[in-house]
Amino acid sequence: MTTRRKIEISEFRILAAPLVAFLVLFLGFPAVVNLVYSVSEVSFETLRRPALSGFGNFAAVLGDAAFWRASWFSFRFGLLTAVIECGLGLFLAIFLSPLIEKRSWLLAILMMPLMVAPALVGLMYRLVLHEFVGPVPYYLWAYLGASISFLGAGSAFWTLVAIETLQWTPFALLLFYMAYQAIPAEVNEAATLDGAGGLQRLRHIELPLMRPTIVVALLIRFIDGFRVFDNVYVLTGSGPGGSTASLSIYIYEAFFKQGAIGKAVAASVILFAVSFAVLYGLNAIAARRKGKGR
Amino acid sequence: MRHSTMKIRALYAACMLSLFTGPALAEVTVLGWPGGPEEVALRAAADAYNAKADLADADKVELLFFNRDGFWDKLQADLAAGSTAFDINLLATYSIGRYAPFMEPIALSDEAKAVYGDSVLATMQYQGEQYGVPTDLSLHFMYYRKDLIDALLNDDAAKAKYAEIAEKHLGKKLEPKQPDAWDWDDYTATALYFTQAVNPDSPTRYGTVLQMKNLLFNIMVWQSLPRAYGADWRDDGGKITVNSDAYRKGLEVYKLLYDAGATPRDSLSYEFAEANAAYASGQVAAMLQWNAAAGDLTSTEKSPAVAEVTDTVAPPSGPAGRFTHIHGLGFGLNKNAENKDGAVRFLKWLSSKEAALIYARNNGAPALTPEVVAEVAGERPDLVKLGEFAGKYGYVMNGGTSAKALSVYELQAKEFTGYWSGQQSLDDALANTEKGMADLLKE
């Protein structure tokens, strides 16, 4: 090894030390504690002296119908909101692009829903959708003589999807607008000269060039939707019979409401393992595609 | 001066400064319930206590408040971690068993029994020990529109319609009565009569508003119904008794009202605030609600549509009697208190008649015996009913102060809302609840 290489390694170690210390302290330690708790019988009284009990907590979680129901809710919610938000965001980014180019302040207004904390959004819609104080049911009663049950057992899921979409579509719009603006004008001009119409340019040039951004946006929105907690919890709690409990709500309720700390932590460990496997797989696919592209 | 000596002196000065800038002026720290009438009342009581001439500076009381959101979870974590940040902490009837391992039983003043009475003191007891001073009591009133009921009672055609609706939905003809004489069938029949989906001539859109959100507090509101039919969580032998006719009846009444449209369709997401808003709109004839709503619902400023025509009585009765769920907020002693003697002295004073009257005069809601409440009846007429109902109709379910009481309420909320929303059968809801409670309440 050359002297220069040795110096580089030494510098790398020194520079990386604070980051490593931070990760060990704030991620490593809780992760180890979580792993211990997940295989222990532990309560608030015995937080400092958990008794190892094997994999019973994992069995309890995997055998709990509420866990699978919450997993299905999270998956469905994450997938639907990601697809709808990205679809709407993409459409708006392209459709409004000429307008935003001329009046950039419009973008600031469109971004406003992002400024509101999700818990406040939940609170806001508790008022907006309330039959006696909310404007939406008020006008429905006034014009139709009846109102929809927005938060009933059959409709709560779709109401939550709509609220999440209304809040986070601007995020997708922002990403797609930036990606759309980054497409070199010459490419489009060349295609136009070759006789390509608007739809053809969109299909064969713009969308392929925006694909990396679309994939990233879908992933980010799916992750955000999958781990949803605050606005759902404020609006419907875990829903009648647990029908709107996401995985985050399931874990929170198991931990704090039922005092089943081992079970809650075991569920979070399973969630971590599955998330890690999925992300690792996606990363591997992306790396392989990158390799093929070269 | 040498540099090292200067550094040591600077460090010493900094340490001394920190001693004087810490919260060392008051020695008994009380963690209270923030942001409501309870805070106002506690502040007044603490001021009165601190103003006592014979109180040592070291025993003066300092109050500590943090946010209501997640209060009980944070308190649980603090107590479990052995926090010494407070000597006295808030506790509630349904959470005593959860916090008792981190607290110490206390001795109340000699006057406490005469001030509060046995049933109210019991809201702060766990396994035969007194863990707190019951400063605020919560129970349920039935709020109703006396103008609507009077009109119904004075109209023969309306009475006939009422009897017809009762026969159709309940299988028996009933006559309208004054609300104080209602049993749960009368409540159900009245709710149906005042529902436009059932009776298009009804002056209100809904006969009642039910709080059916999957939330533990909603089960407390509901459970006085099955209790009137003899329901309890378990018998004296510890056997879980929820899979019973009484629970079945209580669940079916709510289901019937929900399915008939006698309560708003979104009731499955309703809790305290939503129910109040519905009632205050003037589109609801009667509802069961916490006593804490009385101030708003009878205020012409806050509820102009209903304030002057609203009255309150105790919840309806059933074959086993008339009941209202009660639970108290109170103050108890942290096992890790740094100033235990000072804290015990304050708690003893807090349970005296003097403190109870100060608390009552400053927006608190203590349930006082008739003799004591008479002294503040002019200023706080609502406390007269509170004390009367608590003494006559108050109950705590068998197991309602156990370590897992909150979890039992959570379980019931989940299972029963599952039935009300049509996601599972009544048999499944009761069987699941029985099984879950057996796990939670096993000794």
Side-chain angles (χ1 to χ4, degrees):
Chain A
M1 192 181 289
T2 64
T3 312
R4 185 180 167 77
R5 178 79 180 140
K6 278 182 186 169
I7 291 170
E8 273 179 4
I9 290 173
S10 164
E11 280 176 348
F12 171 77
R13 281 179 181 159
I14 291 167
L15 291 172
L19 178 65
V20 172
F22 174 84
L23 290 175
V24 167
L25 195 64
F26 290 100
L27 291 177
F29 174 69
V32 170
V33 170
N34 265 6
L35 284 173
V36 172
Y37 281 172
S38 69
V39 290
S40 302
E41 203 168 296
V42 59
S43 66
F44 279 104
E45 292 87 348
T46 59
L47 278 176
R48 291 173 183 171
R49 44 179 199 290
L52 289 177
S53 62
F55 292 95
N57 290 324
F58 288 95
V61 170
L62 294 173
D64 185 358
F67 171 77
W68 293 109
R69 187 176 187 174
S71 301
W72 175 234
F73 176 92
S74 288
F75 180 77
R76 213 160 48 115
F77 187 81
L79 194 65
L80 266 172
T81 52
V83 169
I84 298 171
E85 285 163 18
C86 289
L88 269 176
L90 187 63
F91 170 74
L92 290 173
I94 295 169
F95 186 72
L96 295 179
S97 178
L99 198 63
I100 297 172
E101 269 175 47
K102 286 181 186 154
R103 295 175 179 81
S104 56
W105 50 268
L106 274 175
L107 201 58
I109 293 176
L110 289 168
M111 291 302 112
M112 287 189 79
L114 299 179
M115 303 295 172
V116 186
L120 279 182
V121 169
L123 210 54
M124 197 172 81
Y125 278 100
R126 264 176 80 173
L127 286 173
V128 169
L129 301 177
H130 189 282
E131 183 175 332
F132 300 96
V133 293
V136 177
Y138 174 83
Y139 286 112
L140 287 174
W141 274 101
Y143 294 116
L144 304 176
S147 175
I148 301 163
S149 166
F150 288 100
L151 298 171
S155 51
F157 177 80
W158 298 105
T159 303
L160 292 169
V161 167
I163 290 169
E164 179 83 355
T165 303
L166 284 173
Q167 182 172 23
W168 291 105
T169 297
F171 175 78
L173 162 66
L174 183 67
L175 287 186
F176 296 144
Y177 177 71
M178 295 303 169
Y180 191 66
Q181 291 297 306
I183 296 172
E186 311 86 70
V187 179
N188 265 332
E189 280 168 15
T192 310
L193 284 174
D194 288 342
L199 277 177
Q200 283 175 312
R201 287 204 306 274
L202 178 70
R203 189 176 162 199
H204 297 292
I205 295 173
E206 291 165 355
L207 285 182
L209 286 172
M210 290 172 75
R211 193 166 61 188
T213 309
I214 294 171
V215 171
V216 167
L218 274 169
L219 190 65
I220 291 174
R221 291 315 312 145
F222 174 74
I223 290 170
D224 252 6
F226 189 83
R227 67 184 174 86
V228 68
F229 179 86
D230 18 25
N231 49 359
V232 175
Y233 198 71
V234 169
L235 202 58
T236 58
S238 53
S243 55
T244 60
S246 66
L247 255 184
S248 304
I249 292 174
Y250 173 87
I251 291 169
Y252 170 80
E253 292 198 331
F255 194 100
F256 282 111
K257 306 291 179 192
Q258 300 160 20
I261 296 175
K263 188 176 158 188
V265 174
S268 70
V269 169
I270 292 171
L271 178 61
F272 170 76
V274 172
S275 307
F276 185 79
V278 171
L279 289 175
Y280 187 84
L282 287 174
N283 198 35
I285 292 169
R288 200 176 303 154
R289 285 187 168 225
K290 207 172 171 185
K292 273 185 187 169
R294 277 181 189 153
Chain B
M1 196 183 292
R2 284 175 57 188
H3 187 62
S4 59
T5 315
M6 278 177 69
K7 274 169 73 178
I8 290 169
R9 286 188 178 175
L11 190 63
Y12 178 73
C15 290
M16 291 305 291
L17 193 65
S18 70
L19 282 178
F20 288 107
T21 52
L25 290 175
E27 296 293 332
V28 176
T29 310
V30 181
L31 177 64
W33 188 232
E38 298 88 353
E39 179 178 338
V40 177
L42 182 62
R43 285 190 186 282
D47 287 346
Y49 184 72
N50 286 341
K52 286 184 175 297
D54 58 345
L55 186 72
D57 280 349
D59 284 347
K60 284 192 187 300
V61 164
E62 187 187 24
L63 304 180
L64 180 66
F65 296 98
F66 51 68
N67 201 292
R68 274 191 188 205
D69 288 337
F71 181 95
W72 299 110
D73 301 334
K74 291 178 212 160
L75 178 60
Q76 168 104 60
D78 274 353
L79 286 169
S83 173
T84 57
F86 46 85
D87 301 303
I88 292 171
N89 59 274
L90 189 77
L91 76 164
T93 303
Y94 48 79
S95 61
I96 295 179
R98 197 173 162 191
Y99 302 135
F102 316 109
M103 298 180 68
E104 281 186 15
I106 55 170
L108 303 181
S109 71
D110 297 337
E111 298 172 337
K113 196 170 174 180
V115 173
Y116 293 104
D118 286 333
S119 65
V120 177
L121 288 179
T123 63
M124 288 284 124
Q125 290 167 0
Y126 177 62
Q127 294 184 337
E129 302 269 19
Q130 191 76 35
Y131 274 86
V133 181
T135 48
D136 293 275
L137 195 89
S138 291
L139 48 70
H140 302 128
F141 290 159
M142 188 176 75
Y143 297 78
Y144 70 94
R145 293 274 303 275
K146 55 188 177 195
D147 57 331
L148 301 178
I149 302 296
D150 287 346
L152 170 63
L153 290 169
N154 292 318
D155 182 341
D156 287 339
K159 282 183 190 174
K161 180 79 179 169
Y162 181 98
E164 182 194 315
I165 288 171
E167 188 170 27
K168 184 178 172 194
H169 291 273
L170 302 176
K172 54 186 170 186
K173 277 192 175 174
L174 293 173
E175 275 186 27
K177 297 181 194 135
Q178 285 293 347
D180 207 20
W182 283 1
D183 62 19
W184 281 100
D185 283 341
D186 296 312
Y187 171 88
T188 310
T190 310
L192 292 166
Y193 173 80
F194 283 111
T195 296
Q196 283 171 355
V198 176
N199 172 18
D201 298 330
S202 166
T204 52
R205 198 181 291 166
Y206 301 107
T208 189
V209 52
L210 304 175
Q211 298 170 53
M212 301 168 86
K213 185 175 181 179
N214 180 355
L215 185 72
L216 66 100
F217 298 108
N218 292 344
I219 295 301
M220 294 175 186
V221 178
W222 165 80
Q223 68 180 4
S224 295
L225 195 175
R227 181 73 176 192
Y229 289 83
D232 207 342
W233 284 6
R234 57 186 182 188
D235 61 20
D236 291 338
K239 184 174 178 293
I240 305 299
T241 53
V242 289
N243 203 345
S244 62
D245 289 344
Y247 268 91
R248 198 169 281 272
K249 168 76 181 177
L251 289 165
E252 283 173 343
V253 167
Y254 260 43
K255 177 83 169 152
L256 185 155
L257 291 171
Y258 180 70
D259 289 347
T263 183
R265 304 302 299 170
D266 272 348
S267 296
L268 284 160
S269 66
Y270 276 20
E271 50 180 298
F272 183 79
E274 283 86 353
N276 278 355
Y279 184 85
S281 73
Q283 289 296 331
V284 169
M287 72 165 175
L288 227 64
Q289 181 61 292
W290 297 93
N291 58 299
D296 283 359
L297 296 180
T298 54
S299 157
T300 48
E301 206 172 291
K302 292 182 177 168
S303 309
V306 297
E308 287 177 343
V309 290
T310 290
D311 205 351
T312 55
V313 291
S317 61
R322 192 174 191 179
F323 295 97
T324 174
H325 162 98
I326 55 171
H327 72 242
L329 289 179
F331 291 94
L333 181 63
N334 179 2
K335 191 184 259 179
N336 292 302
E338 288 188 327
N339 184 359
K340 219 169 260 185
D341 293 341
V344 167
R345 269 193 287 279
F346 177 66
L347 287 170
K348 202 164 219 176
W349 175 80
L350 195 62
S351 66
S352 68
K353 181 178 168 186
E354 178 196 359
L357 291 176
I358 292 170
Y359 204 86
R361 288 192 172 105
N362 289 277
N363 286 356
L368 305 171
T369 53
E371 298 75 34
V372 178
V373 82
E375 296 190 30
V376 288
E379 302 146 79
R380 296 291 307 274
D382 56 314
L383 293 188
V384 178
K385 260 184 191 171
L386 184 77
E388 182 197 339
F389 290 178
K392 276 188 186 170
Y393 312 120
Y395 72 91
V396 177
M397 288 287 193
N398 182 348
T401 62
S402 65
K404 296 285 188 179
L406 275 178
S407 301
V408 169
Y409 281 119
E410 295 278 354
L411 170 72
Q412 292 186 354
K414 178 172 167 271
E415 296 298 339
F416 296 164
T417 55
Y419 165 61
W420 290 328
S421 63
Q423 296 178 67
Q424 64 176 344
S425 70
L426 179 56
D427 288 339
D428 285 347
L430 287 171
N432 293 343
T433 308
E434 185 179 32
K435 183 176 174 296
M437 283 178 68
D439 289 340
L440 289 167
L441 294 177
K442 67 185 170 201
E443 299 296 338

